[in-house]
Amino acid sequence: MDHGGHVLVVAFPGQGHINPALQFAKRLLGMGLKVTFVTAFSALNRMTETAAAAPPGLSFVGFSDGYDNGWKTSDTEHFMVEQKRRGSAAMEELVASAAAQGQPFVHVVYCILLPWVGRVAQKLGLPATFLWLQPASLLDIYFYYFNGYGDEIMKNSDDPSWSIQLPGLPPLTADDLPPFLFPSDPSNFAIALFKEHIDVITDSQQTNPNSKVLVNTFDELEFDALRSVKKLNMIAAGPLIPTAFLDGKDPSDTSFGCDLFQKTKDYTDWLNSKPTASVIYVSFGSYLVLKDHEMEAIARGLLETRRPFLWVVRSGGTDDDQGYELSCKAELEEQGLVIPWCSQVEVLSNPSVGCFFTHCGWNSCIESLALGVPVVGFPLWTDQATNAKLVQDVWKAGIKVRRNREGMVEDGEVKRCLEMAMEGEEMRRNARKWKDLAKEAAMEGGSSYLNIKNFVDELRGI
Ligand code: UDX
């Protein structure tokens, strides 16, 4: 393989960032580039098998952000400041040492929450491209918030009858928007990071008017949203999932190939023993912790369906996550299987899975769509409410669990949504349609494939 051109890919040390970023790195590798993948030690220390088994041309480098054993949610603000400070210095050193070894980087690809990487690249005169790991619609929302719509959004955050029509997007109520937009949200500090991302993109376009934002989506899914803000020049590169589910050229490429969390108890035989489309898969991503009343509402809903389920209940996935003892554990274990972790894409591709009860993290959504599984959305934070809205009302491949004004899930609601997703013919048909379109986009000659190929050709100066 000709490794003409060395690219630095930098990802935030969370599973929802590492998975798609690593897939993108592998796409670049497949097109003949050499890639160095960089993240903080907190993630890299748990990827030793991945690093040892890396294909030629892909290498891993870690840096210390001062939180090598992970960080607590309560530390987030300090952690982000340290990550920027220490990460910037580490990146400068890495760029210099690659050049000294005769393997200079020709391009930097950096992911969400890391605008400082774009700034370091600008300082060093290295071309850089932002890889946005949420739907294009979300970047549109942030852009419009900072460009003319912010006051209206903030003014109406408490009005349940209000909605906003942003170009290229469906009408959105306050509940459909990311909570970061509202000053009352305790994580409101994150908004500054999104603003910085948009500023970095705008600044790099002054030196390179052709610069793009790569997005983990595909044209057919978000045609209008990708084109809504011309200035951002968004280009679809997704779905960034293992290729066995897309072009199928390498049938062994069925997992993210990332040992951040070990696969635990074997659930595959259990899944294989179940009839087609009979199992409810339940999981809430890699780090969020549900409240006790939410866990109980979900458990009750699952029991009421009397259907088999596979439920990932993490424990110790983060420092804050000590696990929760369900009150009806024995009954649950008679009806389904509760496991601490799984290879989600392999589970979703198992024919026995009938629907996915998810928090609607973007990876979970796009994995479910690309694998043709209807979604029950139980959004908790950040982009998830918007993702759930899009899945339900635009892509019509799922349904969102309703909460009352106090944020509680009322009796019967979880069961209602699960039954609709398991029995709904239209949702299943649409999920299958998105699966076919996702494959088409990723196959050789498909829209995302060509976008990545053009990106690679451009950075090689072809
Ligand atoms: C975070 C944010 O919460 C989310 O809103 C944002 O869109 C991306 O970053 P996370 O909460 O971890 O992500 O959820 P998600 O985006 O769904 O990513 C989780 C990843 O972990 C997926 O790639 C999924 O396949 C994988 N996973 C999860 C497993 O492999 N096994 C599991 O048991 C659970």
Side-chain angles (χ1 to χ4, degrees):
M1 176 79 60
D2 158 31
H3 296 305
H6 187 188
V7 178
L8 178 64
V9 175
V10 191
F12 183 81
Q15 184 90 17
H17 302 241
I18 302 266
N19 283 358
L22 196 50
Q23 284 296 312
F24 185 73
K26 288 181 178 170
R27 304 286 195 275
L28 297 182
L29 194 69
M31 290 190 185
L33 295 169
K34 178 179 162 71
V35 181
T36 296
F37 188 94
V38 172
T39 190
F41 284 132
S42 56
L44 201 69
N45 287 345
R46 290 187 284 145
M47 290 169 64
T48 46
E49 283 176 32
T50 310
L58 174 64
S59 50
F60 291 84
V61 172
F63 69 91
S64 177
D65 53 16
Y67 287 83
D68 296 352
N69 298 315
W71 69 98
K72 290 189 174 148
T73 315
S74 50
D75 290 339
T76 303
E77 281 187 64
H78 183 252
F79 160 66
M80 297 302 277
V81 170
E82 280 301 282
Q83 191 176 62
K84 174 180 175 177
R85 188 177 70 80
R86 294 169 180 241
S88 300
M91 184 175 151
E92 288 197 34
E93 266 174 44
L94 183 64
V95 169
S97 99
Q101 288 163 27
Q103 301 273 340
F105 293 111
V106 297
H107 206 95
V108 178
V109 174
Y110 64 100
C111 303
I112 195 161
L113 302 184
L114 307 175
W116 53 265
V117 177
R119 287 285 181 226
V120 173
Q122 282 169 359
K123 178 176 159 197
L124 301 176
L126 260 176
T129 303
F130 181 35
L131 173 60
W132 176 252
L133 300 176
Q134 295 180 2
S137 306
L138 266 295
L139 193 54
D140 290 333
I141 292 172
Y142 288 117
F143 181 88
Y144 287 124
Y145 180 78
F146 296 119
N147 290 277
Y149 293 86
D151 286 346
E152 187 188 345
I153 291 174
M154 276 191 279
K155 222 169 45 212
N156 289 290
S157 61
D158 291 331
D159 179 357
S161 65
W162 169 84
S163 72
I164 192 163
Q165 179 73 65
L166 300 170
L169 304 184
L172 298 167
T173 65
D175 283 348
D176 299 327
L177 290 168
F180 300 152
L181 302 189
F182 307 117
S184 55
D185 186 77
S187 315
N188 185 259
F189 73 90
I191 196 71
L193 281 173
F194 293 115
K195 166 97 172 61
E196 177 69 355
H197 267 305
I198 290 171
D199 290 346
V200 174
I201 297 166
T202 318
D203 290 349
S204 34
Q205 279 168 346
Q206 303 203 327
T207 41
N208 177 11
N210 201 21
S211 77
K212 299 171 176 50
V213 175
L214 295 155
V215 187
N216 183 15
T217 188
F218 49 102
D219 261 3
E220 295 71 10
L221 194 65
E222 290 201 276
F223 191 88
D224 293 335
L226 280 159
R227 289 156 184 83
S228 172
V229 182
K230 298 242 163 352
K231 223 174 158 179
L232 291 174
N233 199 9
M234 285 194 264
I235 302 292
L240 294 172
I241 66 168
T243 58
F245 306 113
L246 298 169
D247 67 14
K249 279 193 184 152
D250 177 3
S252 67
D253 184 22
T254 56
S255 76
F256 278 102
C258 175
D259 60 332
L260 254 183
F261 292 87
Q262 294 294 332
K263 191 159 142 177
T264 43
K265 190 149 84 182
D266 200 7
Y267 44 82
T268 314
D269 289 347
W270 184 85
L271 277 178
N272 289 342
S273 74
K274 301 294 173 212
T276 303
S278 65
V279 174
I280 299 167
Y281 169 56
V282 189
S283 179
F284 302 96
S286 61
Y287 71 96
L288 286 175
V289 183
L290 277 80
K291 299 197 174 78
D292 297 359
H293 71 84
E294 294 171 330
M295 293 290 280
E296 291 296 332
I298 294 163
R300 268 198 317 276
L302 286 170
L303 290 175
E304 282 163 14
T305 66
R306 299 179 182 276
R307 296 176 188 268
F309 61 83
L310 180 70
W311 187 357
V312 176
V313 180
R314 276 180 292 103
S315 115
T318 67
D319 283 352
D320 298 328
D321 178 10
Q322 302 309 319
Y324 170 65
E325 261 313 295
L326 288 155
S327 62
C328 41
K329 204 162 175 241
E331 275 169 278
L332 285 166
E333 281 174 354
E334 258 172 51
Q335 187 178 320
L337 203 56
V338 179
I339 54 171
W341 189 253
C342 68
S343 168
Q344 180 162 297
V345 279
E346 289 177 292
V347 167
L348 288 170
S349 67
N350 191 298
S352 68
V353 172
C355 82
F356 181 11
F357 191 101
T358 166
H359 68 319
C360 287
W362 181 234
N363 296 289
S364 292
C365 288
I366 200 163
E367 288 162 16
S368 210
L369 292 169
L371 293 163
V373 178
V375 165
V376 176
F378 191 75
L380 300 167
W381 198 44
T382 170
D383 54 340
Q384 296 153 16
T386 319
N387 300 342
K389 158 82 182 173
L390 296 170
V391 168
Q392 176 182 267
D393 293 341
V394 179
W395 305 320
K396 301 189 189 306
I399 180 164
K400 178 175 161 184
V401 174
R402 286 194 295 240
R403 293 180 187 247
N404 62 24
R405 287 317 295 168
E406 288 74 50
M408 303 297 283
V409 180
E410 291 181 357
D411 286 352
E413 175 61 5
V414 170
K415 178 178 182 227
R416 180 188 76 87
C417 294
L418 286 172
E419 291 302 342
M420 284 186 71
M422 292 298 276
E423 297 295 332
E425 250 323 296
E426 195 201 347
M427 272 187 225
R428 195 157 304 278
R429 221 177 17 253
N430 286 329
R432 273 199 296 266
K433 176 186 85 178
W434 293 118
K435 175 180 176 175
D436 293 343
L437 291 169
K439 269 191 182 174
E440 266 174 39
M443 306 274 270
E444 197 164 336
S447 51
S448 289
Y449 172 90
L450 289 176
N451 284 340
I452 301 176
K453 182 163 187 310
N454 289 340
F455 170 75
V456 168
D457 287 349
E458 270 174 32
L459 74 82
R460 281 176 161 152
I462 295 172

